[in-house]
Amino acid sequence: MTIRNKTLIAIIITFIMLIVILYIVLGSVFQQGFIRLEEKDTHTNVKRVINILSREIDTFNAFNWDWSSWDDTYTFIEDSNEEYIKSNLMDQTFIGARLNLMLFINSSNQVVFGKAFDLEEEEEIPIPEDLQKHLLPDSLLTKYSNTDSSVKGIILLSKYPMLITSRSILTSDNEGPIRGVLIMGRYLESTEIEHLAQISNLSINVQKFNDSQSPLDFQKAFSILSEDEPIFIQPLNNELIAGYALIKDIYGEPILVLRANMPRDIYRQSQITRRYFIFSILAIGMIFSLLVLLFLVRLVLFPIDRVNKYLDIVTSTKDLSFRIPLKGKDEISKLSKTINLMLEKLEASRKELWDSRELYKNLFENMPGAYYRTDKDGNLIMINPEGAKSFGYNSSEDILGKEISQHLYFASEERKKYLKELENNKGNLKDFEITLKKKDGSPLVISDTSHYYYDKEGNIAGVEGIFVDITERKQTEEALRKSHQEFVSLFKSSPEALVYLDENSNIINVNPRFTELFGYTLEEIKGRNINEGFIHPLYKIEEGEKLDKLAMSKGYFIYESIRKKKDGALFPVSISGSNIVIDGQTKGAIGIYVDITERKKMEEELEKLAHFDILTGCYSRGYGLALLEEQIKT
């Protein structure tokens, strides 16, 4: 595909992306502005409906005040005269005032007169039974403490919600004493809701709060409306948006949710405005794109085409000394200069590459370590001369092509273990020890550092790495291990009590004979200083410190002294010690304790035989004369 076609495609894609981005931006930013405006307008309308409802309740309360603060009513609540009932409480009064309920309750909380009325059928009906719980003594509707008290609002009954107002019964001059209360009620049913809709010029619907039978949009409103968020807005469809308001009863508890529906005029206008804007951008963009394409062809594409023809010459001739003869000060001219500079560097790099190739070849063939590479089937495809020599072959060609698990591993199952370990370490291993097999069948222990290498598609092509022959090192380590085992065996099985100290005389190890002699196990005294006094009488601690210093500095000593068992018993011992020197530095000492109790007893017996007569029990003649001579001298 030519640059001209690519440029045309780029302009078209850019133009399409511009339109898409503008559409998204207008949808997410511009459109959001209209949506917020629509929500604000809906919120205002919902508040207006709530205010209309409040005014209706206030008007209703004022109507009650006209009746409750009236001398005739003040008299009626006392004498219950029939004339008052005939003159004032006829059906026409309920119809004209849109009343569903009137209750006259005296100060003793007795209903003097009560009447419920069905406005639709225009006939008297029984007073709702569930109203009784609101008329109990000391209830909000029946108890007043002063002449200005009143209650107005809504209560929830089983049939419908009811607008309710309750006022104290006073004289026409609003004076007491209070003789009772007058309660008036009006059902908030379809006729009353339609009345509110006509006043507000909106479609209104009312549902009981948290009613599971309510429509789905009300269900969502129930979950969101709260004390902190009493109004909720949501679109119903592209034509209508609804605002929901939480309505509380006279006790302050939420009982109803009012919904006001409004046409989405603002939303529709935003859609029209966005379409006009997109069409305008589309027309401007097409004209602009055409002009850009013309300028690109004249100022960019044509000079680039010339540069391309010169590069074809370099490609066909493979002459890196060729230079592009294009001059000027624009970017295309600078590109030509850059290409010429690149050709110079390529020419120099060709020579460096040749030199590097020779250097790599020398490094590969003469490196002291063994480099190898296998394919994914485990066949050896590359190895340097040092590697071939490690296996006992004269040249790399003699070993290449061999399947290494069969021909080069001492045990073929070790190859599976190696590959598993390589996989577990994400294709990289360092200092992994393997036992391979030389040409003559003898073992070759190596330390291998290797990794996967990959083909162009990123698939594992095989394994490559470097290994070092550590056969001699492993033999040395084995000899050291055996020597250590021999030392440990001698230490544990020695018939004398042995203690192994560090350079600070702290106990590192003791043998079983030490435990048998002194009564202490290794767990009890490991890490403790041997001169703390647990095997020394107090007067021998200083002596023990001197003996340790002697062992550390002189290298060897033998000494007889007294030591203490775990149970506190003192006994004579022969002590010998020798320092431990590692790399020319003293790292600790070995102490040997021999119980000489029996020997000491035997020496005392021999001395007694030498100085006393066995038959008489008296000093022998020679010993007696020696003592007498000693006394005379003193």
Side-chain angles (χ1 to χ4, degrees), residues 321-384:
S321 63
F322 182 84
R323 300 294 179 264
I324 299 174
L326 195 63
K327 298 181 180 180
K329 296 183 179 180
D330 58 12
E331 284 76 5
I332 305 299
S333 300
K334 290 181 180 179
L335 176 62
S336 301
K337 293 178 183 178
T338 302
I339 292 174
N340 288 335
L341 181 62
M342 180 188 68
L343 290 172
E344 291 177 7
K345 291 184 177 181
L346 284 174
E347 190 176 9
S349 296
R350 177 184 285 179
K351 184 177 182 305
E352 291 177 3
L353 182 62
W354 179 262
D355 294 340
S356 297
R357 182 179 178 182
E358 290 298 313
L359 178 63
Y360 170 76
K361 181 179 179 182
N362 291 331
L363 179 63
F364 179 77
E365 292 180 351
N366 299 303
M367 65 185 297
Y371 170 83
Y372 69 93
R373 174 178 282 194
T374 65
D375 61 19
K376 61 182 180 181
D377 297 321
N379 299 310
L380 190 65
I381 58 174
M382 184 182 296
I383 191 168
N384 67 342

Side-chain angles (χ1 to χ4, degrees), residues 429-486:
L429 279 181
K430 185 177 181 181
D431 299 330
F432 187 77
E433 294 185 4
I434 313 169
T435 302
L436 302 178
K437 181 173 59 177
K438 293 185 179 182
K439 182 180 180 180
D440 60 7
S442 61
L444 171 65
V445 184
I446 66 165
S447 175
D448 177 79
T449 297
S450 55
H451 59 267
Y452 291 140
Y453 68 92
Y454 302 87
D455 58 21
K456 294 180 180 179
E457 288 73 30
N459 301 315
I460 297 174
V463 179
E464 65 179 357
I466 297 173
F467 68 80
V468 178
D469 184 355
I470 59 170
T471 304
E472 292 184 3
R473 191 189 80 188
K474 297 301 289 185
Q475 291 172 349
T476 302
E477 289 176 354
E478 179 63 19
L480 288 173
R481 186 186 65 80
K482 290 181 179 179
S483 176
H484 176 71
Q485 288 181 343
E486 290 172 357

